[in-house]
Structures are given as structure tokens and as C-alpha cells.
Amino acid sequence: MKKKVVMLGSFVVDLTTRQKGLPVPGQTLLGDSFQMGPGGKGSNQAVAAHRAGADVTLITKLGRDVFANVATDFYQKEGIDCSHILYDEERETGIALIEVDTQSAQNMIVVVPAACMHITDEDIEACRPLIEQADILLLQFEINFSALFKAIDIAHAAGVTIVLNPAPAKEIPDEVLAKVDIVTPNETEAQQLTGVKVETVEDAKRAAATFLHKGVKNVVITLGAMGAFASDGKTSVLEPRLRVNAVDTTGAGDAFNGGFVMALAEGKDLFTALRCGNVTGALSVTRPGTAPSMPSRAEILSFYQECYGEPFAES
Ligand code: RIB
């Protein structure tokens, strides 16, 4: 049976330009195109997990403005339940300014989570039954820490599996990390949280050991060109990066987390989920955009089989 995933995190509207190169301070570049669409790490991860086939309930906070319609219109089209969306009567819906280099597929992002930085204790209290009844709680760092830590406390006390994607990088107290079941940083975030500079797979092993020492039960580190690494404290695995034609790497980490969580929700072990995240992330970079670039379940299963030579067994 599929486990229930609750995602508490950000929705923001992505305002994305595409051009050759990325500007340096003081430089103006002429862009090739502009696109406005749904984004935010939390929402992107929920969309990725939903398209991958997971049963996801999304909690985020929007303003009372036109950007909020970008979220609700998109969720309605996707068939994602909007009934747990929170609204802030004063603050705006968040935005992200994204610049994508059409030559390298790399990006630069400034995100302003706005309403998502003002989730109150009362908001989280109202979501308590939902969080307590979840099997997996998926979290990131684009909401205020008071709300994040309260949700972690509730989930931990209820025995819910907590998956924390600590992005964008910020420090958090060790006592909070100790309640996390699976942490999924990239190499920069891993360095920020452990103090270990992650440039090689051996470094990733050292960073993972530091997380495990802090009480995190499982560690997954996405390593860009090197692939993705996981450790459960006994076994460590590196899945090499999958070769695809990358056009836009924005949201690749979100796709990874969505695919990873879908596999966990279907009862797969950490290392099968790692492969599923790897496949989902790779597919997402082959098309532009963030939430709209998330692959379907059929695409994930087919590419999984192609890459790993065995089916992703359906649950
Ligand atoms: O991870 C990519 C996301 O980060 C973008 O969608 C943008 O909104 C920022 O939050």
C-alpha cells in the first residue's frame, strides 16, 4: 500500500530569463526569453512526487494576490489537493528571480519566500492532525524555522518519517537534526551543516558520518557531476550521474527529492529510492522550467529500467 506523504514548504512564482551567460555585477545582458511559472522548492518537490505517483498533500502559504492564482491554477490542472493551502492576509506570495544560461544550463537564483516566511504556530497547530497521520513528512528550508521546527517536533513525536532537504543552505541546531530520519543536502548544503568540504566521494562519506554522529538516521548527498550518494550508517552507495542532454538544471534537486520520496512511499529501501531520485532529477533537466519540467511516472519507470537494467517494481 502507498504511504501518505505530506509536504510542508514553499510555493513561489518563478520569474525566469534565458540568455547566453550569466550577468556579473554591473552588467546588463540581453535575454532571449522570459517565463513566469510555478516554483518554490517545496511545491516543486510535491509536484515531482505527485507526478511520480505518490499520494501527496501539500501545505504552503500564499498571499491574497494574482501570484497566488499561479499556484492554485497549476495545482487544479495537476489534480493536486489545494485544501490545506494557508493564506496570509498581509504578505505577498513569494517569488524567485531565476537566470538560466542557455549554453551551460546553469542558473542563478534569488528567492523571496514572502508569505512562506510567516507560517505561524497556529497554522502548524491546525495542520497537526494531517502531519500526525502522514507516513512521510517532506521539508526544506524556504519557510520560517519556527514553523519548520514545530512541524519536525510534531512528526517526530508521532513517529512520522522526516525527510529534510536542507535547501537553501542554513545552519540548524543539532537537536533538530537529530530528529530527522533522512537528510538530503547537495554538496554545498552538506558542507554548511557538517563543516566538511565536499568535493569527492570520500568527502561525502565523511560528511555523512558527521550527520550520522549528530543523530540523523540516513544521509543522501547529491553531488552534481559525480552523481548521488547515500548512507544508512552501515552501507554507502554512490550512483553515478546519468547522462542526459541538459537544457536547464533549475529544480533538479527538487525532482530528485520528489522521485526519492515516491520510492520510499512505495516501501522501497534507501538505495532503490536513491536510484529513483537520480532518474527523476536527470529527466527534469532535459526540459526547461522547474515544476513544469517534472517527469511523469511512466517516464521515470521507463528511464529507470533503461539505466539500471531492471524494472522499478510496482508496489
Ligand atoms: O530549486 C529550484 C527552486 O528554488 C526554484 O523553483 C525557485 O523557486 C527556488 O526556490
Side-chain angles (χ1 to χ4, degrees), residues 74-94:
F74 182 69
Y75 294 149
Q76 265 154 25
K77 264 194 233 133
E78 291 285 317
I80 294 176
D81 177 16
C82 293
S83 57
H84 297 282
I85 291 181
L86 308 162
Y87 284 91
D88 193 308
E89 302 302 327
E90 288 159 32
R91 278 105 186 177
E92 298 80 18
T93 302

Side-chain angles (χ1 to χ4, degrees), residues 244-257:
V244 290
N245 180 25
V247 300
D248 182 355
T249 57
T250 325
D254 300 333
F256 178 95
N257 277 276

Side-chain angles (χ1 to χ4, degrees), residues 12 14 39-41 44 96 98 109 111 142 250-251 254 290:
V12 308
D14 285 349
K41 292 187 191 302
N44 292 344
I98 304 179
I109 304 179
V111 59
E142 280 184 348
T250 325
D254 300 333
T290 52

